[in-house]
Amino acid sequence: MHLHLIRIVALHEIRTVFRSKMPFILYSILLAMLLLAGFVGWNYVSKFNAQQARYTTEVQDNWMNQPERHPHRVAHYGYLVFREKAPLSFFDFGLDSYVGNSVFLEAHRQNTVNMSEAGFSNGMLRFGELSMALVLQLLVPLFIIFLGFATVAGLKQNGVLKILLCQKASYFDILAGKTAGLVAVTWLLFLPLILAALIGGAVLLQNEINAELLLRSGLILFVYAVYFLIITMIVTGVSAMSKNASNALIMLVLGWMVCFIVIPKSAQTLGSSLYKAPDKIAFEQAIEAEVRKEGDSHNPDDPHFAALRANTLKKYGVDSVHKLPVNYGAMVMQEGERITSGIFGTQFNKLIETYQAQNAVSVILGFFDPYLPLRNISMQLCGVDFDTFSEFQKQTEQYRFDKTTLINKIHLTQISYENDRAQKVAQSNWQQMPPFEFRPVPLAATIYNAKWSLIALLFWLVAGAAALGFISSQRKFQL
Amino acid sequence: MLEANNLTKKYGDYTALNNLNLTIGKGEIFALLGQNGAGKTTTINLFLGFVEPTSGVASIDGLNVATHAEETKTRLAYIPETVMLYPNLTGLENLEYFSSLAGFSYEAGQLAGFLDTAGLQSSAHGNRLGGYSKGMRQKVGIAIAIAKKAKVLLLDEPTSGLDPKASNEFSEILKTLSASGTAILMATHDIFRAREVATRIGIMKEGNLQSVTEAGAISANELEQLYLKTV
């Protein structure tokens, strides 16, 4: 390997690309699409978040301004929680369009965030929405294909490759140089745009820039750079293996269809058929069945609640719930809350495991298709992935449980058992409760969750380089 | 300079080149005549290292091509039937690129000098190759060989499709190169041109070198008769 010769080939490739009109025309089209997608995405997220913020304020105001009332009425008054879109979600829509953004929190009920759409939670069937990520993931590879399909095959066809190979540069030098030149063009045309869009868009959305945002943007830039390099290596490799440019183009376009349409869609179908997820009704029925098994708080003969009553009376040394220093009704409600919340948690975790198993299919297939790992990592870094969604669901349930527990505690201590329903408590009791604030998945956890996709991308990088090495060592690919 | 010892290439049961023994010395022009499929291009590809011999050795300057690919490449230049190069680049830019890949770094004036030596008129140096005639492109190919200081020149049907004037100019350039010590192996169908430019002529048939004749010892008519009788 001669680095200076690789550099010469690469610079020549760059010069050749910039001298032809076709790449410029293709780039103009892609640039227009990227700018449009970026603006539309940013505008949508901006308006969406502004709307969410308005609703959040309205909900919080309504909550705070409830008049003096019975705590149980407060518990059932409910509270709507909204999920603000992540600052980088304008770049990659991910699963945002397929998962809910709001959930109604109330006592005794674990309302799901649009779980009816869970069947589509992988988002693999999605193809229609134009986001910057979609253009970069699907159309830039096509751009690289059109840029490079003839890079070696064309030279082979017109005999130039033979003359090139008679110089000092080896076939590997030529393939590496061509790959470097093509990817340099792609990086030059797209990476500054990605970085500017990520930083600019996110800053405009949240009026600030922080270290995590910069790190996420840097990582997104890096993985897209690696992805473009992988695609370029594939294009150069296929071109080098083809007898002529038209064969190379046919092979590459076929490969594009397989990698960008067939495998992603098959991954979704395979995942959901291997690991069946319940729909919303089945999910809720499973919870209800579990709750029934645990005990019915409204049934005086229910063994679980009978035991609770006996234990409580024994603890306080009284023979009637009327003589308890605390409100027994609130105690029963809290116990019911604990049971349903526990059951929901178990069922929800099972559901999450099913979806994770479905997603694992696409992660495994990422070793056969470089688009899948890049897509997964991009979604994860932009905070529009399944982990973010399930984290939102978990946090809202925890918030709901804590809030209900607090209200039950007020009920327990400030409302006497006798004439329970006629009593009220002051506003200050619930006004102290903090509003819900979603804590996104931290970057370190995101990277950990993306580990297999990152490994798959690394695998493709190494495999691409090894493939170029192998192709260059074969005489049959030189003629 | 160029040597084939029992050089054989087989593709399955088909023998493309059978037991070739040949030596081409410094300053010699050896023309290989023969019909399509006679083994001329296979011979050139074996010396270029693009094809691995089934048996025997192809060597350049005493170095086995199969085992010293990089070293032998620095000693040879190759001109195919049609020199395409890069149509979007000028003659000068093409020459600069190929020279740099051969490990040489020349000033613009030196590059222009090589093109002049190869017979390309100065006014064409800065024009894109896409507008060149076949003869002009062949001259750029020759300039690449000159710039590379190649000791060996391998030519595959170099005059095919050239008009008589361009073909004659090409022959003169080859003679100049051989006079400066370059060993030249040329595969051709052009009996007249072969006799005019070569020092020795070999006639191939079905992978075998049937005869080798001193070009100066035979007339064009005799060569034609020998060729027709052989193939």
Side-chain angles (χ1 to χ4, degrees):
Chain A
M1 187 168 75
H2 307 90
L3 284 177
H4 71 286
L5 295 177
I6 292 174
R7 190 175 150 271
I8 289 168
V9 176
L11 289 173
H12 172 78
E13 196 68 19
I14 294 169
R15 186 163 62 168
T16 308
V17 169
F18 282 119
R19 280 208 180 174
S20 21
K21 286 177 187 158
M22 191 50 77
F24 178 73
I25 294 166
L26 287 173
Y27 179 65
S28 303
I29 295 167
L30 283 181
L31 183 65
M33 289 177 83
L34 278 169
L35 292 175
L36 179 71
F39 174 73
V40 170
W42 178 85
N43 193 41
Y44 172 70
V45 173
S46 173
K47 283 184 176 166
F48 183 90
N49 280 353
Q51 191 185 45
Q52 296 279 61
R54 269 203 316 277
Y55 291 153
T56 302
T57 309
E58 196 178 317
V59 167
Q60 180 67 8
D61 287 348
N62 289 343
W63 174 264
M64 300 292 270
N65 294 328
Q66 287 179 84
E68 284 186 357
R69 54 175 37 157
H70 189 280
H72 201 60
R73 281 199 64 195
V74 175
H76 277 293
Y77 182 76
Y79 190 87
L80 255 173
V81 160
F82 298 97
R83 183 166 65 93
E84 190 181 79
K85 285 187 183 289
L88 297 177
S89 62
F90 77 94
F91 175 81
D92 191 336
F93 300 160
L95 305 185
D96 262 10
S97 311
Y98 293 87
V99 293
N101 294 291
S102 62
V103 57
F104 183 65
L105 307 181
E106 57 180 324
H108 319 317
R109 281 190 64 82
Q110 288 78 16
N111 296 314
T112 52
V113 188
N114 293 342
M115 292 304 281
S116 60
E117 290 183 272
F120 296 97
S121 64
N122 287 341
M124 289 169 190
L125 296 175
R126 177 172 62 90
F127 203 76
E129 288 177 320
L130 185 71
S131 67
M132 287 189 85
L134 187 82
V135 175
L136 293 165
Q137 289 167 13
L138 300 188
L139 300 185
V140 172
L142 266 184
F143 173 78
I144 298 172
I145 287 172
F146 288 124
L147 212 63
F149 73 93
T151 191
V152 184
L155 298 182
K156 215 182 268 190
Q157 205 172 344
N158 62 22
V160 178
L161 183 64
K162 266 185 160 182
I163 303 176
L164 275 177
L165 288 170
C166 289
Q167 312 309 316
K168 202 176 170 187
S170 68
Y171 197 21
F172 183 78
D173 294 337
I174 292 167
L175 296 188
K178 285 193 165 285
T179 304
L182 287 173
V183 82
V185 170
T186 312
W187 284 350
L188 203 66
L189 295 178
F190 293 102
L191 292 190
L193 193 71
I194 296 175
L195 189 65
L198 286 171
I199 305 278
V203 167
L204 284 172
L205 275 173
Q206 55 178 27
N207 295 321
E208 62 163 7
I209 189 154
N210 53 45
E212 170 144 348
L213 184 72
L214 279 174
L215 265 173
R216 280 182 186 266
S217 301
L219 284 169
I220 290 169
L221 196 71
F222 176 73
V223 292
Y224 274 90
V226 171
Y227 176 64
F228 295 155
L229 175 58
I230 291 166
I231 301 293
T232 309
M233 286 197 290
I234 294 170
V235 170
T236 308
V238 171
S239 183
M241 287 196 297
S242 304
K243 286 275 179 204
N244 54 55
S246 56
N247 278 359
L249 183 61
I250 290 167
M251 286 303 295
L252 287 165
V253 172
L254 276 175
W256 182 89
M257 288 165 75
V258 170
C259 288
F260 296 93
I261 299 171
V262 178
I263 294 180
K265 286 195 177 265
S266 306
Q268 162 65 17
T269 311
L270 188 65
S272 54
S273 61
L274 285 176
Y275 305 99
K276 295 218 181 297
D279 58 19
K280 183 178 181 179
I281 295 168
F283 180 71
E284 286 179 350
Q285 279 175 345
I287 291 173
E288 277 170 27
E290 287 291 316
V291 171
R292 272 198 301 276
K293 272 191 228 165
E294 282 290 326
D296 180 0
S297 60
H298 297 294
N299 178 5
D301 299 323
D302 182 273
H304 181 85
F305 286 94
L308 173 72
R309 187 178 167 177
N311 290 339
T312 308
L313 293 176
K314 190 179 169 189
K315 181 183 167 189
Y316 287 99
V318 293
D319 58 3
S320 164
V321 292
H322 297 273
K323 294 177 186 171
L324 284 170
V326 291
N327 189 321
Y328 181 67
M331 195 176 280
V332 169
M333 274 188 273
Q334 182 56 30
E335 179 62 6
E337 199 64 56
R338 189 189 65 75
I339 291 169
T340 54
S341 188
I343 290 168
F344 175 83
T346 308
Q347 291 293 330
F348 183 71
N349 285 340
K350 275 188 197 169
L351 190 65
I352 296 294
E353 279 169 17
T354 307
Y355 292 144
Q356 281 171 339
Q358 288 182 1
N359 289 338
V361 174
S362 104
V363 172
I364 292 164
L365 286 175
F367 287 90
F368 300 91
D369 179 354
Y371 162 60
L372 292 177
L374 184 270
R375 192 192 60 176
N376 292 339
I377 298 167
S378 178
M379 283 197 296
Q380 285 167 313
L381 288 171
C382 288
V384 289
D385 60 319
F386 184 71
D387 292 332
T388 303
F389 167 69
S390 60
E391 189 58 34
F392 175 70
Q393 180 82 58
K394 281 178 193 165
Q395 287 182 25
T396 55
E397 170 53 17
Q398 187 60 49
Y399 181 76
R400 188 200 68 79
F401 183 77
D402 293 345
K403 203 163 194 150
T404 308
T405 302
L406 194 65
I407 293 169
N408 283 338
K409 198 175 169 190
I410 296 165
H411 191 173
L412 189 80
T413 54
Q414 295 184 36
I415 301 286
S416 62
Y417 190 67
E418 297 302 325
N419 200 19
D420 182 317
R421 291 189 177 190
Q423 299 168 61
K424 291 177 180 174
V425 293
Q427 290 174 307
S428 57
N429 281 291
W430 56 82
Q431 284 178 341
Q432 297 161 11
M433 296 173 186
F436 174 78
E437 202 170 319
F438 176 57
R439 298 177 306 283
V441 181
L443 182 58
T446 299
I447 293 170
Y448 180 78
N449 293 340
K451 61 184 179 298
W452 283 109
S453 294
L454 286 166
I455 290 169
L457 217 54
L458 187 69
F459 162 80
W460 273 100
L461 196 62
V462 174
L468 287 184
F470 173 75
I471 291 164
S472 67
S473 71
Q474 301 297 303
R475 282 194 170 94
K476 63 179 174 182
F477 295 136
Q478 297 182 357
L479 294 173
Chain B
M1 192 61 71
L2 261 173
E3 200 171 346
N5 287 316
N6 303 319
L7 194 59
T8 301
K9 180 63 193 176
K10 289 182 180 178
Y11 296 100
D13 292 335
Y14 175 71
T15 304
L17 187 67
N18 187 31
N19 211 28
L20 176 71
N21 285 292
L22 177 70
T23 304
I24 302 168
K26 200 175 171 184
E28 191 178 4
I29 302 177
F30 192 98
L32 270 180
L33 289 175
Q35 289 182 308
N36 289 337
K40 306 186 298 289
T41 302
T42 302
T43 305
I44 287 179
N45 281 338
L46 282 160
F47 278 112
L48 288 170
F50 292 143
V51 176
E52 199 172 5
T54 307
S55 62
V57 174
S59 55
I60 290 174
D61 210 8
L63 296 166
N64 186 339
V65 173
T67 54
H68 295 82
E70 197 168 321
E71 293 96 320
T72 53
K73 268 179 17 175
T74 60
R75 289 161 167 82
L76 63 84
Y78 165 70
I79 297 174
E81 181 180 347
T82 308
V83 177
M84 293 302 290
L85 306 181
Y86 291 95
N88 281 340
L89 303 185
T90 66
L92 266 175
E93 286 169 339
N94 268 291
L95 179 57
E96 184 192 16
Y97 178 54
F98 283 94
S99 300
S100 60
L101 281 183
F104 294 93
S105 177
Y106 293 115
E107 301 288 322
Q110 290 173 291
L111 293 169
F114 296 132
L115 287 172
D116 287 337
T117 308
L120 187 74
Q121 66 260 40
S122 303
S123 58
H125 292 187
N127 296 342
R128 288 196 179 190
L129 209 83
Y132 280 20
S133 67
K134 186 181 173 184
M136 290 162 85
R137 290 201 303 271
Q138 298 287 63
K139 286 172 184 172
V140 178
I142 290 285
I144 290 171
I146 297 169
K148 195 183 171 183
K149 300 183 173 74
K151 292 180 176 177
V152 171
L153 188 56
L154 298 162
L155 307 161
D156 196 357
E157 311 284 0
T159 54
S160 166
L162 289 184
D163 62 60
K165 184 173 178 287
S167 192
N168 189 53
E169 281 176 5
F170 191 79
S171 298
E172 290 307 314
I173 296 164
L174 290 188
K175 283 177 185 171
T176 308
L177 286 173
S178 78
S180 66
T182 309
I184 300 171
L185 172 62
M186 176 172 77
T188 181
H189 287 114
D190 189 341
I191 295 171
F192 172 76
R193 194 61 59 194
R195 189 199 157 274
E196 188 205 69
V197 75
T199 42
R200 280 191 299 156
I201 299 162
I203 302 175
M204 294 190 81
K205 185 188 177 187
E206 294 169 356
N208 293 294
L209 182 62
Q210 301 284 357
S211 67
V212 176
T213 313
E214 292 289 330
I218 194 166
S219 69
N221 271 344
E222 287 167 339
L223 179 61
E224 189 176 15
Q225 289 307 312
L226 178 65
Y227 178 78
L228 291 173
K229 199 173 122 189
T230 308
V231 302

